Amino acid sequence: MAVDYAALKAGGFMRQKQKNRFSLRLKVVGGKVTVEQLRAIADAAEQYGQDYVHLTSRQGVEIPYVRLEEIDQVKETLAQGDVVPGVCGPRVRTVTACQGAAICPSGCIDTYGLAEELDAHYFGRELPHKFKFGVTGCQNNCLKAEENDVGIKGAMSVHWNGEQCIFCGVCEKVCRTKAIRIENGEIKLEENACNHCGRCVKSCPVDAWEGTPGYLVSFGGTFGNHIGKGEELLPLVPDRETLFRVTDAAINFFAEYAKPGERFRFTCDRVGWDKLKEQIEEAYHG
């Protein structure tokens, strides 16, 4: 019986150089794997692989050396621990994320919750080429948001409350972009210089700075045979509702205009970044 290798690849089974052996890519959302899932993965690797797993550059887990005739059994073993295969090929891939505000002192947003929501909206959607989302919690950019087709970076819109301020100068010292300065008994914020990192909010000892979480979004990043930094085409995105209008617009643009086998960035180059910007700005403003 003929083997449908394309269907296997779509379901996370990637052909190895060894005949009838596959490296099974597993679905991992935002880099989070439970203890129950780890046990199931270990059992599957022991029974159907070669006693090890490979950790990919995008927070994925792969089990190499799965035999063609044991594909159904390995999936059953994994399912016992709530583990499912990932995807390969021309579709939306696993969403990556750092630990964000739940763990990291620098984090501005709930990265894992957002990764789960993005996964629920888009994972596995068929497209002209692969499409990657990456979520990072702050300007430290541990997840390198701009390497993704759509990169989302946690940020803050900040406001100074003069009545609370004791003019200790901490905010001025921690501001990496020199957007804050003390001048004539007041705090001056240079809006154009602010990168929305929220360090002023997190460091103020008297809560004179207030911060509202938001998102900085980049489009068209690539990293591989062709390297290109994603473009920030919008101001700070203020909320999840607006964010998902923008991500919908970006992915729909790609689905409509891309040629088969063409990455998002090259679609934008060919069709025009101005056209993309027009559509995502329209989504941004609702």
Side-chain angles (χ1 to χ4, degrees):
M1 187 175 68
V3 178
D4 189 343
Y5 289 107
L8 287 171
K9 184 176 180 179
F13 289 88
M14 299 174 294
R15 292 175 73 176
Q16 295 183 197
K17 61 188 292 184
Q18 294 83 7
K19 186 177 180 180
N20 290 333
R21 294 294 184 97
F22 297 82
S23 189
L24 170 55
R25 178 171 295 171
L26 305 178
K27 181 180 179 182
V28 177
V29 180
K32 184 177 181 180
V33 185
T34 68
V35 170
E36 180 186 16
Q37 289 174 322
L38 286 171
R39 291 193 182 100
I41 293 168
D43 288 344
E46 185 175 40
Q47 293 179 52
Y48 305 106
Q50 290 196 347
D51 297 331
Y52 76 95
V53 300
H54 172 70
L55 303 181
T56 75
S57 60
R58 286 186 57 81
Q59 301 182 324
V61 178
E62 293 176 5
I63 302 175
Y65 291 97
V66 175
R67 297 176 184 273
L68 176 63
E69 61 270 22
E70 294 180 332
I71 281 175
D72 290 336
Q73 293 96 309
V74 72
K75 288 197 290 187
E76 289 174 8
T77 298
L78 290 166
Q80 294 173 15
D82 195 29
V83 181
V84 297
V87 298
C88 305
R91 48 196 57 87
V92 177
R93 303 292 185 84
T94 296
V95 181
T96 59
C98 70
Q99 296 196 82
I103 300 292
C104 178
S106 299
C108 296
I109 58 170
D110 173 14
T111 50
Y112 184 64
L114 178 56
E116 284 190 309
E117 199 168 342
L118 288 164
D119 175 80
H121 273 72
Y122 303 118
F123 178 74
R125 176 173 170 175
E126 301 287 330
L127 289 168
H129 206 328
K130 61 186 174 184
F131 198 94
K132 300 176 180 179
F133 287 93
V135 183
T136 200
C138 67
Q139 286 289 351
N140 290 338
N141 205 9
C142 296
L143 251 291
K144 305 175 182 64
E146 291 86 357
E147 291 181 0
N148 294 271
D149 296 283
V150 171
I152 301 169
K153 189 181 299 179
M156 280 192 180
S157 174
V158 300
H159 172 73
W160 176 63
N161 182 354
E163 294 181 359
Q164 295 283 108
C165 188
I166 58 173
F167 299 95
C168 63
V170 170
C171 58
E172 185 179 31
K173 291 177 182 177
V174 301
C175 181
R176 289 170 171 167
T177 62
K178 308 301 181 184
I180 297 172
R181 67 182 188 277
I182 299 176
E183 188 176 284
N184 299 325
E186 284 193 351
I187 297 286
K188 301 290 186 180
L189 173 65
E190 182 60 49
E191 297 280 355
N192 292 334
C194 178
N195 69 351
H196 306 287
C197 68
R199 286 169 63 85
C200 53
V201 176
K202 295 175 183 296
S203 64
C204 181
V206 293
D207 297 328
W209 284 96
E210 300 170 355
T212 304
Y215 311 93
L216 294 170
V217 187
S218 58
F219 303 89
T222 57
F223 202 86
N225 290 315
H226 303 280
I227 298 175
K229 181 181 177 182
E231 305 289 338
E232 282 189 18
L233 303 176
L234 297 171
L236 184 72
V237 177
D239 52 57
R240 289 272 182 101
E241 181 181 352
T242 306
L243 177 65
F244 275 89
R245 289 202 306 269
V246 166
T247 54
D248 280 346
I251 208 167
N252 289 338
F253 179 94
F254 183 52
E256 180 177 357
Y257 293 108
K259 296 177 180 180
E262 181 178 63
R263 289 296 298 273
F264 182 39
R265 181 176 191 85
F266 304 127
T267 302
C268 295
D269 288 341
R270 177 175 54 80
V271 177
W273 286 90
D274 288 344
K275 191 173 185 67
L276 172 67
K277 186 175 181 180
E278 178 184 342
Q279 293 195 12
I280 62 173
E281 283 182 343
E282 182 178 341
Y284 178 87
H285 294 294

